[in-house]
Amino acid sequence: MAETYMKYKDQNQPVEVRVEDLLSRMNLEEKIGQMTQIDLTVASFDVMKNYSIGSVLSGGDSAPFPRATTQDWINAVNKFQEGALATRLGIPMLYGIDAIHGHGLVYNATVFPHNIGLGAARDADLIRRIGSATALEVRATGIPYAFAPCVAVCRDPRWGRCYESYSEDPQIVQEMTKIIYGLQGENPKGSQNGIPYVGGKYKVAACAKHFVGDGGTTEGIDESNSIIDTTELYKIHMPAYLDSISKGVSTIMISYSSLNGEKMHGNYNLVTEYLKNTLQFKGIVISDWEGLDRMTTPYHADYTYSVLAAIRAGLDMIMVPFNFTEFIDTLTNLVKNNSISMERVDDAVTRILRVKFIIGLFENPMADFSLVNELGSQAHKDLAREAVRKSLVLLKNGKEGDRPLLPLPKTGAKILVAGTHAHNLGYQCGGWTMKWQGFTGNDDTGGTTILDAIKSTVYPSTEVVYKENPEKDFITSNNFTHAIIVVGELPYAEMHGDSQTLAMLDPGPTVISNICGSLKCVVVVISGRPLVFEPYINSVDALVAAWLPGTEGQGVADMLFGDYQFTGKLSRTWFRTVDQLPMNVGDSHYDPLFPFGFGLTTDKIGLSETQSDN
């Protein structure tokens, strides 16, 4: 028997015609299934098929298994997709993952510097290329959707997500939305504003997050309340969303935080009236992880209220992510008793289907192995190394009256390398690497530590001695020419990174005081934000902010030994004491240790033109 012609299956039909045709064929159960996003750990062929689930994600701790290869990822994604395609209408599912600094949750992927470093690089072309490389690595694992970029404007470094923000300055954050062109491809000139765009199988759907004001919470406390007047909201926190929408961003994620006491997950005026109606955003509005549960105190105290408020506010896809039957049952009951209109459900499903058609999921639902070699490719590692070089900020170079210390000589020296962060890949990658909270040590993924990078940069005749926390006797009894000290903070993500002290990890201060009194020293700070450094500034000869550089530590050595000039500029104010916070450029009480935009340069040493980084 010949298959009945269905417009939604005809790729020659316009997207909106296909969406309308498919929507008209769906029952309530299928529609609510599309609005449901579940975690990998609760997904299966049968779950996808039986509940018509629309989307699956990998949370920060849910890989198929430790050290899963690209092939393992593809097999897992395809298994769920087969379940989705086995449903009555065969609607493919959309798989998403947090690829916020490269595809960092996947073993041996290229891990780029976190956003705070890319903000210091201030290079829109670089960020676009990083977006393209990330898209290829995400697609290499069979995934078509990345929960990036974070376009938060972090106004207080005490916030545990500050490293996910490019800058305290909304203009820099706006410029960095060029990463969307890298992730998704560039939407055609003259395309209708607000319509999502994804340019084929080498690109992924992007997600601007977290809407809106997440970087402005009181005292930088994650997920808490942002007290912001309308002028400040539209001047500081909103502009990057306008840029993201004009670039065709496919999805926008809602913030856990509240705005002037109102939970963003329930904010009808901003989600529906402003984002959907005024800005004409036509993509998917997605919740954050367990975002509905967190609308009440304690969590999940009144789930019916949370579902009602969030769906009414205009959320389309709900990152449940575990207890999906409760969400499905709750929403079904709310629709059946007319608390939520069919029109609202249809708006949500229309947007979800639109993005799926635009991505090309109906034509190419199954992941293939054609891009497996893109994961951790040499070209991407080289790009990450370039990003490290451009993101480093030189804050001090030589004590008053002395010659500059940097660049260091590669030859004829005995160098002491010290500090907690000199030989620790996990520390230099930060959170959202392999696991939600990151990792420690050198075994969880591939990469180059700063110590190894130093060893491969200096001449064979130069002796490199590594001691994490050397005693004073050791320092004075060896004939070191100078020391490189690498210190900073532990990896963290989200609320686990909230800090009221912003102190460096012990014994960092002791290492600095032990070494810098006896030796010429350069201190490299590995951190997701400025840390307290004023007490040590006079004792150090040179100071470099390296942020969270990722897997390519060689980029740090490139700079210390003068193969490239320092060009990075602070995208955040470096405070003197935490008592000054919040303090941003333009504030009346502005008295920083290093101001926004500060960054010294060095001269290139003995470089031929062919080597220079144009």
Side-chain angles (χ1 to χ4, degrees), residues 143 149 188 261 300 335 348 382 397 412 434 453 459 481 483 522 542:
I143 297 172
H300 202 83
V335 175
D382 292 344
N397 194 15
M434 300 314 298
Y459 288 8
T481 46
V522 52

Side-chain angles (χ1 to χ4, degrees), residues 26-80:
M26 296 171 72
N27 60 35
L28 179 61
E29 187 184 348
E30 289 162 337
K31 289 175 180 177
I32 289 175
Q34 285 302 301
M35 296 170 69
T36 308
Q37 186 180 61
I38 66 174
D39 189 69
L40 161 89
T41 53
V42 295
S44 67
F45 177 96
D46 289 341
V47 165
M48 301 304 292
K49 180 175 183 290
N50 296 339
Y51 293 91
S52 302
I53 298 293
S55 185
V56 181
L57 85 152
S58 275
D61 293 322
S62 46
F65 45 82
R67 299 199 175 194
T69 64
T70 44
Q71 288 91 341
D72 297 325
W73 278 93
I74 287 170
N75 291 335
V77 172
N78 279 346
K79 180 180 73 181
F80 306 138

Side-chain angles (χ1 to χ4, degrees), residues 307-308 311-312 331 334-335 337-342 344-345:
V307 175
L308 179 66
I311 303 299
R312 273 189 180 169
L331 180 52
L334 288 167
V335 175
N337 70 23
N338 298 320
S339 300
I340 289 173
S341 70
M342 216 45 224
R344 174 72 269 276
V345 172

Side-chain angles (χ1 to χ4, degrees), residues 385 388-389 392 406-413 415 417 448-464 482 484 552-564 605 607 611:
R385 182 173 170 182
V388 175
R389 293 195 295 259
L392 265 55
L406 297 182
L408 298 171
K410 295 180 183 178
T411 180
I415 303 172
V417 178
T448 305
T449 66
I450 294 168
L451 173 67
D452 287 339
I454 291 166
K455 286 177 175 175
S456 69
T457 302
V458 297
Y459 288 8
S461 58
T462 303
E463 190 182 348
V464 177
H482 46 263
I484 300 170
E552 305 314 304
Q554 194 64 51
V556 177
D558 288 342
M559 304 306 289
L560 296 178
F561 294 93
D563 288 335
Y564 295 85
I605 301 298
L607 260 195
Q611 285 176 287

